[in-house]
Amino acid sequence: MSILTLTINKQNYQLDNLDTRTTLLDVCRQHLQITGPKKGCDHGQCGACTILINGRRVNSCLTLAVMHEGDEITTIEGIGMPESLSELQQAFKDHDAFQCGYCTPGQICSATALIEEVKQNWPSYVTADLKNPDGLLVQEIAERMSGNICRCSAYPNIIKAISQVLESEVAKQSSKSTTETAQGSQVTGIWSPPPSESQLGKSSNNTQATNTLGGRS
């Protein structure tokens, strides 16, 4: 008997004799009743099924479940629930960044990964300066979210919601980096006493001997 173990939202699930052709999306929705990821186009074109695998966004309709044993899989349920919304979910709510809501789980999963990508200075297709990408630009956010379609066309509000959280996260990262740099500039380590007179005398004798030998050569 073949058993597949998947870790989804920090919980282990075991599936017996799963058809190896089953996608991760169908496992979530049909086998485990994790219905956050939505089946839209089923061809990897709309982004409604986007989930996170080891922190990276993936179209779950295009990847097989058997490929992900041992991976850390996160769906919208693992990002936040109605009683404990993430900062990004709350921003989507505050900015009316959804209408029908069908694409929203994929949008939020994708945006969650986007924020981490920007914090790590990953460039995008529209990045002008590859060494110093500015992920806060509207065109950057739009490009990075281009794999997620909103058929209700809530794009302006989606970008506003992401921008709000992204600016906050980048500011936190900058503040943390400044603090660590300041701490790093302080003298740290184990204090050692100054050399004794005998050590200084020995050092002086060694210097004289070296000078003498140098003169003979």
Side-chain angles (χ1 to χ4, degrees), residues 33-197:
Q33 285 68 57
I34 300 175
T35 57
K38 299 295 187 285
K39 180 174 285 194
C41 65
D42 208 24
H43 287 80
Q45 297 177 351
C46 71
C49 68
T50 304
I51 62 175
L52 303 178
I53 299 180
N54 298 328
R56 294 192 177 187
R57 39 187 168 168
V58 173
N59 289 328
S60 58
C61 74
L62 293 183
T63 188
L64 301 177
V66 294
M67 297 168 60
H68 297 290
E69 187 164 24
D71 287 339
E72 187 65 38
I73 302 167
T74 305
T75 68
I76 189 68
E77 290 90 345
I79 292 177
M81 296 297 284
E83 65 278 4
S84 56
L85 297 178
S86 71
E87 186 178 359
L88 189 58
Q89 288 172 313
Q90 185 63 50
F92 264 66
K93 180 179 177 182
D94 294 342
H95 289 278
D96 291 329
F98 55 89
Q99 292 181 39
C100 77
Y102 196 80
C103 73
T104 305
Q107 297 273 3
I108 291 176
C109 284
S110 189
T112 299
L114 176 155
I115 290 171
E116 292 304 314
E117 292 167 9
V118 170
K119 288 166 67 176
Q120 294 176 35
N121 284 330
W122 287 15
S124 78
Y125 183 76
V126 299
T127 300
D129 185 351
L130 297 179
K131 292 184 178 180
N132 299 289
D134 186 356
L136 296 176
L137 298 175
V138 170
Q139 59 266 34
E140 281 280 351
I141 298 173
E143 167 62 24
R144 293 170 192 268
M145 290 296 294
S146 60
N148 293 80
I149 295 175
C150 174
R151 302 190 189 280
C152 300
S153 297
Y155 298 117
N157 292 349
I158 289 173
I159 291 177
K160 287 179 183 177
I162 296 172
S163 294
Q164 175 184 301
V165 179
L166 184 57
E167 289 177 6
S168 173
E169 289 296 317
V170 170
K172 289 178 186 176
Q173 184 183 39
S174 178
S175 176
K176 180 180 178 182
S177 177
T178 302
T179 301
E180 290 177 349
T181 301
Q183 291 177 344
S185 65
Q186 296 175 0
V187 177
T188 59
I190 300 174
W191 177 83
S192 60
S196 64
E197 292 183 2

Side-chain angles (χ1 to χ4, degrees), residues 8-27:
I8 304 177
N9 302 325
K10 302 189 182 302
Q11 183 174 343
N12 291 332
Y13 296 90
Q14 293 188 334
L15 300 105
D16 297 339
N17 293 323
L18 181 72
D19 189 326
T20 56
R21 298 168 296 179
T22 308
T23 65
L24 187 53
L25 174 62
D26 284 340
V27 163

